[in-house]
Amino acid sequence: MSTMRQLLLVCLLSASAFAQSGNLGSFTNSGDVGGPAIKGSTEFSNGQYRITGSGANIWGKQDQFQYVWREITGNFTVTATMQFLGKGAEHRKAGIMVRQSLDTDATYADVVIHGNGMPGLQWRSKQGEDTNAFDFPFDGPGTLKVKLVRTGVKIYMYIGKEGAEPKKLANTEVSFRNPVLVGLAVCSHQADASDTVLFSDVSVEAQTPPAPKAQ
Amino acid sequence: MRELLLTCLLAASVFAQTGNFGSFTNSDDVGAPPLKGAAEFDASTGQYKITGSGADIWAKADQFHYVWREMSGNFAVTTTAKFLTEGIGHRKAVIMLRKSLDTDSPFVHLAIHGDGTPAVQFRNTKADNTNTVDFPIEGPGTWKLKLVRQGSTITVWLAKDGAPLRELGHTTNQLGSPILVGLGVASHTQEAVSTVLFSDVSLEQLPATAGTRQ
């Protein structure tokens, strides 16, 4: 009986530990990647994420930012509506990121909006390599609906501004091993400041793989 | 004097062999595709008819037909491209910036595929994999392509069937100077060639980027 009680206690404790990292809606964890000097934070309430992140950049060979993520396998679609709160560096960035690991120089692909409103598709093809990027024309900051779709090696990017339905802008190709991390990222683009972004209407939808064909 | 004239004529003739390409100076296959490519330049219309074979311009090595010249610094390249032959959906007509004629050379190109998929693709370092940004497919047609290099920024524009050019966006690249700049055609199969008509070709050297020391 005493063993049973101990087991129950362990279960309760581990459930509580899980809840600490599990009160993030569609995601399971939050934390800083790359050890920025100013710590980031994530609040989840009323279905909205208020994510505060610092960090030199998500760029070059390594990244610093606040990340809210879950693990996922296979094909998926993530959508979020996002808005920068307050002022900051023109090239502060926030968006949806697929990442191989929490390493600062991990393989990744993301769909980001910069503080000035510029949409970007970015990726690091292999751990430790330089970031690649393609930036799209823009007409200023606002509230943007962003969508990232992973289909095999393809990462598709969709953007809609001020309530418009997201429109497909482009896709790139990045080879990840399953499982990957997927989530929301915020980076202030300066080591001595942080930025807060409000994400709402966040959805993570895993596509079920096609049923195996009859043998 | 006659000898000098003769020498001049001979030199001009030799030069003409590699210099009869209007804005460009040379034409050749890259990556030795089994089916040889060719380039014809019609000085009266300013049009290039470029025939190229080759598995692809992709992954770690390329096969295609290339018409090029050497350039440094900032520049703008514009052309209108139309496939004259049927072929594989992903056959490519490109404005190609390339470090060398090596099959695995670093490059950046603006491509229109045979099926009308526009793409910006690049290999950052020799023998590395090719990166791609594919844009939504608009279907086959006659495509105006424009690529501008300003420092490390490469900006691209596109228009289908006579529409006004629209900016697709920009990327950054460290190809440096000098590089080869030109037009390329790949059939996306070693068993066939594709022919593309390039017209309204313009190659413009742009001033040094403000604030950049040359």
Side-chain angles (χ1 to χ4, degrees):
Chain A
M1 198 57 185
S2 151
T3 318
M4 192 64 177
R5 245 186 224 166
Q6 274 175 333
L7 189 61
L8 187 65
L9 193 63
V10 171
C11 284
L12 280 169
L13 280 170
S14 68
S16 139
F18 187 75
Q20 273 192 298
S21 56
N23 57 354
L24 294 168
S26 303
F27 305 105
T28 57
N29 295 77
S30 74
D32 284 327
V33 170
I38 300 179
K39 255 185 96 61
S41 65
T42 298
E43 294 166 35
F44 176 64
S45 67
N46 299 321
Q48 294 187 323
Y49 298 82
R50 191 178 286 255
I51 305 180
T52 300
S54 183
N57 206 351
I58 303 167
W59 189 252
K61 294 186 197 298
Q62 50 190 32
D63 312 326
Q64 287 187 322
F65 63 102
Q66 169 79 9
Y67 195 31
V68 183
W69 76 90
R70 60 163 281 189
E71 204 176 89
I72 195 165
T73 291
N75 297 336
F76 55 82
T77 298
V78 181
T79 52
T81 299
M82 52 170 284
Q83 188 188 2
F84 283 92
L85 305 178
K87 299 206 180 302
E90 199 175 67
H91 275 190
R92 67 204 149 126
K93 47 179 89 154
I96 302 170
M97 178 186 284
V98 185
R99 201 168 177 92
Q100 190 67 69
S101 78
L102 297 174
D103 293 349
T104 183
D105 61 350
T107 301
Y108 80 90
D110 69 22
V111 174
V112 291
I113 303 296
H114 294 82
N116 62 358
M118 180 170 74
L121 178 61
Q122 312 184 132
W123 67 100
R124 182 180 292 120
S125 302
K126 272 186 241 152
Q127 179 145 11
E129 279 194 357
D130 263 321
T131 289
N132 299 291
F134 194 89
D135 293 320
F136 298 82
F138 64 102
D139 58 9
T143 301
L144 286 125
K145 191 166 178 184
V146 295
K147 179 163 119 175
L148 182 154
V149 178
R150 179 197 191 199
T151 307
V153 296
K154 298 197 178 195
I155 304 287
Y156 291 89
M157 165 184 191
Y158 297 71
I159 301 284
K161 200 175 174 192
E162 310 298 353
E165 262 317 290
K167 203 176 94 185
K168 181 162 49 169
L169 289 190
N171 74 270
T172 186
E173 296 186 10
V174 180
S175 294
F176 292 99
R177 295 181 312 275
N178 277 314
V180 295
L181 310 177
V182 69
L184 308 174
V186 173
C187 173
S188 63
H189 201 284
Q190 41 190 347
D192 57 357
S194 55
D195 275 295
T196 302
V197 176
L198 186 68
F199 290 90
S200 52
D201 300 318
V202 175
S203 90
V204 179
E205 195 187 326
Q207 266 83 51
T208 21
K213 285 183 182 136
Q215 295 293 304
Chain B
M1 192 63 179
R2 252 189 218 168
E3 275 173 56
L4 186 60
L5 187 63
L6 192 62
T7 306
C8 283
L9 280 171
L10 280 171
S13 142
V14 169
F15 187 74
Q17 273 194 296
T18 54
N20 58 351
F21 294 111
S23 302
F24 306 104
T25 56
N26 295 75
S27 144
D28 204 351
D29 283 328
V30 169
L35 299 178
K36 256 189 97 61
E40 294 168 34
F41 173 64
D42 183 339
S44 66
T45 61
Q47 292 180 326
Y48 299 77
K49 198 178 281 202
I50 304 181
T51 298
S53 182
D56 205 355
I57 305 169
W58 186 247
K60 295 181 195 290
D62 310 324
Q63 288 187 319
F64 65 104
H65 196 76
Y66 194 26
V67 179
W68 76 90
R69 60 162 287 187
E70 198 177 276
M71 285 188 92
S72 290
N74 299 334
F75 52 82
V77 189
T78 312
T79 185
T80 299
K82 184 181 169 55
F83 284 91
L84 299 181
T85 48
E86 296 293 317
I88 287 176
H90 273 189
R91 64 201 193 275
K92 293 176 184 176
V94 304
I95 293 177
M96 164 74 71
L97 318 187
R98 204 168 175 89
K99 195 74 194 163
S100 79
L101 297 173
D102 293 347
T103 183
D104 58 356
S105 162
F107 77 86
V108 183
H109 71 209
L110 169 59
I112 187 72
H113 291 86
D115 65 0
T117 306
V120 171
Q121 304 179 317
F122 46 92
R123 181 181 296 120
N124 290 322
T125 54
K126 194 170 162 65
D128 199 4
N129 250 323
T130 296
N131 288 281
T132 189
V133 182
D134 293 330
F135 302 93
I137 185 167
E138 294 181 42
T142 301
W143 294 87
K144 190 166 181 184
L145 311 171
K146 181 179 177 186
L147 181 154
V148 172
R149 176 168 95 159
Q150 295 271 16
S152 62
T153 302
I154 291 175
T155 310
V156 293
W157 288 259
L158 187 76
K160 192 184 171 193
D161 297 333
L165 277 173
R166 70 172 199 276
E167 186 186 333
L168 286 177
H170 67 267
T171 185
T172 56
N173 192 278
Q174 310 299 332
L175 271 178
S177 291
I179 54 167
L180 311 177
V181 178
L183 308 174
V185 173
S187 62
H188 204 285
T189 167
Q190 293 196 332
E191 280 143 34
V193 296
S194 289
T195 301
V196 176
L197 185 68
F198 291 93
S199 49
D200 301 319
V201 176
S202 117
L203 212 62
E204 192 189 344
Q205 186 82 54
L206 300 175
T209 313
T212 304
R213 272 184 205 200
Q214 293 290 299

PDB file of all heavy atoms in Angstrom, chain B residues 44-63:
ATOM      1  N   SER B  44      20.189  41.230 -86.287  1.00  0.00           N
ATOM      2  CA  SER B  44      19.165  42.133 -86.824  1.00  0.00           C
ATOM      3  C   SER B  44      17.973  42.259 -85.873  1.00  0.00           C
ATOM      4  O   SER B  44      17.331  43.295 -85.801  1.00  0.00           O
ATOM      5  CB  SER B  44      18.709  41.660 -88.207  1.00  0.00           C
ATOM      6  OG  SER B  44      18.042  40.406 -88.085  1.00  0.00           O
ATOM      7  N   THR B  45      17.684  41.190 -85.126  1.00  0.00           N
ATOM      8  CA  THR B  45      16.543  41.241 -84.193  1.00  0.00           C
ATOM      9  C   THR B  45      17.007  41.337 -82.740  1.00  0.00           C
ATOM     10  O   THR B  45      16.204  41.608 -81.847  1.00  0.00           O
ATOM     11  CB  THR B  45      15.686  39.966 -84.315  1.00  0.00           C
ATOM     12  OG1 THR B  45      16.512  38.841 -83.972  1.00  0.00           O
ATOM     13  CG2 THR B  45      15.141  39.787 -85.723  1.00  0.00           C
ATOM     14  N   GLY B  46      18.301  41.058 -82.512  1.00  0.00           N
ATOM     15  CA  GLY B  46      18.814  41.046 -81.144  1.00  0.00           C
ATOM     16  C   GLY B  46      18.356  39.827 -80.357  1.00  0.00           C
ATOM     17  O   GLY B  46      18.445  39.799 -79.136  1.00  0.00           O
ATOM     18  N   GLN B  47      17.863  38.803 -81.079  1.00  0.00           N
ATOM     19  CA  GLN B  47      17.332  37.620 -80.388  1.00  0.00           C
ATOM     20  C   GLN B  47      18.367  36.497 -80.301  1.00  0.00           C
ATOM     21  O   GLN B  47      19.182  36.312 -81.207  1.00  0.00           O
ATOM     22  CB  GLN B  47      16.087  37.107 -81.114  1.00  0.00           C
ATOM     23  CG  GLN B  47      14.910  38.058 -81.004  1.00  0.00           C
ATOM     24  CD  GLN B  47      13.684  37.541 -81.717  1.00  0.00           C
ATOM     25  OE1 GLN B  47      13.784  36.872 -82.747  1.00  0.00           O
ATOM     26  NE2 GLN B  47      12.511  37.855 -81.185  1.00  0.00           N
ATOM     27  N   TYR B  48      18.273  35.753 -79.219  1.00  0.00           N
ATOM     28  CA  TYR B  48      19.128  34.582 -79.004  1.00  0.00           C
ATOM     29  C   TYR B  48      18.249  33.350 -79.033  1.00  0.00           C
ATOM     30  O   TYR B  48      17.257  33.282 -78.312  1.00  0.00           O
ATOM     31  CB  TYR B  48      19.809  34.635 -77.635  1.00  0.00           C
ATOM     32  CG  TYR B  48      20.700  35.816 -77.423  1.00  0.00           C
ATOM     33  CD1 TYR B  48      20.162  37.062 -77.137  1.00  0.00           C
ATOM     34  CD2 TYR B  48      22.079  35.686 -77.514  1.00  0.00           C
ATOM     35  CE1 TYR B  48      20.981  38.162 -76.941  1.00  0.00           C
ATOM     36  CE2 TYR B  48      22.905  36.777 -77.314  1.00  0.00           C
ATOM     37  CZ  TYR B  48      22.354  38.012 -77.033  1.00  0.00           C
ATOM     38  OH  TYR B  48      23.171  39.088 -76.840  1.00  0.00           O
ATOM     39  N   LYS B  49      18.649  32.380 -79.826  1.00  0.00           N
ATOM     40  CA  LYS B  49      17.964  31.084 -79.810  1.00  0.00           C
ATOM     41  C   LYS B  49      18.940  30.114 -79.149  1.00  0.00           C
ATOM     42  O   LYS B  49      19.961  29.760 -79.732  1.00  0.00           O
ATOM     43  CB  LYS B  49      17.632  30.671 -81.243  1.00  0.00           C
ATOM     44  CG  LYS B  49      16.585  29.598 -81.338  1.00  0.00           C
ATOM     45  CD  LYS B  49      16.273  29.263 -82.786  1.00  0.00           C
ATOM     46  CE  LYS B  49      15.330  30.297 -83.420  1.00  0.00           C
ATOM     47  NZ  LYS B  49      14.617  29.745 -84.598  1.00  0.00           N
ATOM     48  N   ILE B  50      18.642  29.722 -77.937  1.00  0.00           N
ATOM     49  CA  ILE B  50      19.584  28.890 -77.177  1.00  0.00           C
ATOM     50  C   ILE B  50      18.988  27.500 -76.982  1.00  0.00           C
ATOM     51  O   ILE B  50      17.855  27.358 -76.495  1.00  0.00           O
ATOM     52  CB  ILE B  50      19.918  29.523 -75.811  1.00  0.00           C
ATOM     53  CG1 ILE B  50      20.471  30.947 -76.015  1.00  0.00           C
ATOM     54  CG2 ILE B  50      20.907  28.657 -75.038  1.00  0.00           C
ATOM     55  CD1 ILE B  50      20.861  31.668 -74.734  1.00  0.00           C
ATOM     56  N   THR B  51      19.756  26.503 -77.415  1.00  0.00           N
ATOM     57  CA  THR B  51      19.343  25.109 -77.294  1.00  0.00           C
ATOM     58  C   THR B  51      20.240  24.433 -76.268  1.00  0.00           C
ATOM     59  O   THR B  51      21.460  24.483 -76.391  1.00  0.00           O
ATOM     60  CB  THR B  51      19.461  24.397 -78.657  1.00  0.00           C
ATOM     61  OG1 THR B  51      18.576  25.059 -79.567  1.00  0.00           O
ATOM     62  CG2 THR B  51      19.087  22.929 -78.566  1.00  0.00           C
ATOM     63  N   GLY B  52      19.611  23.848 -75.248  1.00  0.00           N
ATOM     64  CA  GLY B  52      20.406  23.204 -74.207  1.00  0.00           C
ATOM     65  C   GLY B  52      19.819  21.873 -73.799  1.00  0.00           C
ATOM     66  O   GLY B  52      18.596  21.684 -73.815  1.00  0.00           O
ATOM     67  N   SER B  53      20.691  20.947 -73.429  1.00  0.00           N
ATOM     68  CA  SER B  53      20.261  19.674 -72.869  1.00  0.00           C
ATOM     69  C   SER B  53      20.646  19.682 -71.394  1.00  0.00           C
ATOM     70  O   SER B  53      20.769  20.756 -70.793  1.00  0.00           O
ATOM     71  CB  SER B  53      20.925  18.525 -73.625  1.00  0.00           C
ATOM     72  OG  SER B  53      20.473  17.284 -73.103  1.00  0.00           O
ATOM     73  N   GLY B  54      20.840  18.514 -70.808  1.00  0.00           N
ATOM     74  CA  GLY B  54      21.344  18.453 -69.434  1.00  0.00           C
ATOM     75  C   GLY B  54      20.317  17.984 -68.438  1.00  0.00           C
ATOM     76  O   GLY B  54      19.141  18.301 -68.534  1.00  0.00           O
ATOM     77  N   ALA B  55      20.817  17.187 -67.484  1.00  0.00           N
ATOM     78  CA  ALA B  55      19.948  16.592 -66.466  1.00  0.00           C
ATOM     79  C   ALA B  55      19.205  17.673 -65.687  1.00  0.00           C
ATOM     80  O   ALA B  55      18.006  17.581 -65.452  1.00  0.00           O
ATOM     81  CB  ALA B  55      20.763  15.714 -65.529  1.00  0.00           C
ATOM     82  N   ASP B  56      19.927  18.730 -65.307  1.00  0.00           N
ATOM     83  CA  ASP B  56      19.286  19.810 -64.554  1.00  0.00           C
ATOM     84  C   ASP B  56      20.347  20.816 -64.116  1.00  0.00           C
ATOM     85  O   ASP B  56      21.550  20.572 -64.239  1.00  0.00           O
ATOM     86  CB  ASP B  56      18.579  19.242 -63.304  1.00  0.00           C
ATOM     87  CG  ASP B  56      17.427  20.140 -62.836  1.00  0.00           C
ATOM     88  OD1 ASP B  56      17.253  21.226 -63.412  1.00  0.00           O
ATOM     89  OD2 ASP B  56      16.715  19.741 -61.901  1.00  0.00           O
ATOM     90  N   ILE B  57      19.867  21.934 -63.577  1.00  0.00           N
ATOM     91  CA  ILE B  57      20.719  22.868 -62.831  1.00  0.00           C
ATOM     92  C   ILE B  57      20.201  22.740 -61.414  1.00  0.00           C
ATOM     93  O   ILE B  57      19.205  23.348 -61.037  1.00  0.00           O
ATOM     94  CB  ILE B  57      20.560  24.320 -63.353  1.00  0.00           C
ATOM     95  CG1 ILE B  57      20.834  24.382 -64.857  1.00  0.00           C
ATOM     96  CG2 ILE B  57      21.465  25.267 -62.569  1.00  0.00           C
ATOM     97  CD1 ILE B  57      20.439  25.704 -65.506  1.00  0.00           C
ATOM     98  N   TRP B  58      20.832  21.896 -60.627  1.00  0.00           N
ATOM     99  CA  TRP B  58      20.211  21.462 -59.369  1.00  0.00           C
ATOM    100  C   TRP B  58      21.187  20.621 -58.571  1.00  0.00           C
ATOM    101  O   TRP B  58      22.181  20.143 -59.146  1.00  0.00           O
ATOM    102  CB  TRP B  58      18.943  20.658 -59.697  1.00  0.00           C
ATOM    103  CG  TRP B  58      18.118  20.270 -58.503  1.00  0.00           C
ATOM    104  CD1 TRP B  58      17.920  19.007 -58.028  1.00  0.00           C
ATOM    105  CD2 TRP B  58      17.391  21.140 -57.641  1.00  0.00           C
ATOM    106  NE1 TRP B  58      17.103  19.056 -56.929  1.00  0.00           N
ATOM    107  CE2 TRP B  58      16.765  20.345 -56.654  1.00  0.00           C
ATOM    108  CE3 TRP B  58      17.212  22.525 -57.586  1.00  0.00           C
ATOM    109  CZ2 TRP B  58      15.987  20.886 -55.632  1.00  0.00           C
ATOM    110  CZ3 TRP B  58      16.423  23.057 -56.576  1.00  0.00           C
ATOM    111  CH2 TRP B  58      15.816  22.239 -55.625  1.00  0.00           C
ATOM    112  N   ALA B  59      20.874  20.437 -57.308  1.00  0.00           N
ATOM    113  CA  ALA B  59      21.679  19.593 -56.414  1.00  0.00           C
ATOM    114  C   ALA B  59      23.138  20.041 -56.436  1.00  0.00           C
ATOM    115  O   ALA B  59      23.412  21.225 -56.330  1.00  0.00           O
ATOM    116  CB  ALA B  59      21.502  18.127 -56.744  1.00  0.00           C
ATOM    117  N   LYS B  60      24.073  19.124 -56.639  1.00  0.00           N
ATOM    118  CA  LYS B  60      25.487  19.471 -56.485  1.00  0.00           C
ATOM    119  C   LYS B  60      26.211  19.740 -57.798  1.00  0.00           C
ATOM    120  O   LYS B  60      27.382  20.121 -57.797  1.00  0.00           O
ATOM    121  CB  LYS B  60      26.206  18.350 -55.720  1.00  0.00           C
ATOM    122  CG  LYS B  60      25.720  18.189 -54.276  1.00  0.00           C
ATOM    123  CD  LYS B  60      26.484  17.075 -53.578  1.00  0.00           C
ATOM    124  CE  LYS B  60      25.821  16.633 -52.299  1.00  0.00           C
ATOM    125  NZ  LYS B  60      25.880  17.611 -51.222  1.00  0.00           N
ATOM    126  N   ALA B  61      25.548  19.495 -58.942  1.00  0.00           N
ATOM    127  CA  ALA B  61      26.221  19.695 -60.227  1.00  0.00           C
ATOM    128  C   ALA B  61      25.198  20.026 -61.312  1.00  0.00           C
ATOM    129  O   ALA B  61      24.065  19.558 -61.257  1.00  0.00           O
ATOM    130  CB  ALA B  61      27.004  18.441 -60.606  1.00  0.00           C
ATOM    131  N   ASP B  62      25.638  20.805 -62.305  1.00  0.00           N
ATOM    132  CA  ASP B  62      24.728  21.338 -63.321  1.00  0.00           C
ATOM    133  C   ASP B  62      25.124  20.898 -64.725  1.00  0.00           C
ATOM    134  O   ASP B  62      26.305  20.723 -65.023  1.00  0.00           O
ATOM    135  CB  ASP B  62      24.752  22.870 -63.289  1.00  0.00           C
ATOM    136  CG  ASP B  62      24.563  23.414 -61.885  1.00  0.00           C
ATOM    137  OD1 ASP B  62      23.790  22.794 -61.134  1.00  0.00           O
ATOM    138  OD2 ASP B  62      25.196  24.436 -61.561  1.00  0.00           O
ATOM    139  N   GLN B  63      24.117  20.761 -65.570  1.00  0.00           N
ATOM    140  CA  GLN B  63      24.315  20.557 -67.007  1.00  0.00           C
ATOM    141  C   GLN B  63      23.359  21.477 -67.742  1.00  0.00           C
ATOM    142  O   GLN B  63      22.135  21.372 -67.575  1.00  0.00           O
ATOM    143  CB  GLN B  63      24.008  19.115 -67.397  1.00  0.00           C
ATOM    144  CG  GLN B  63      25.041  18.101 -66.922  1.00  0.00           C
ATOM    145  CD  GLN B  63      24.773  16.709 -67.477  1.00  0.00           C
ATOM    146  OE1 GLN B  63      23.627  16.270 -67.536  1.00  0.00           O
ATOM    147  NE2 GLN B  63      25.822  16.022 -67.886  1.00  0.00           N
TER     148      GLN B  63
END
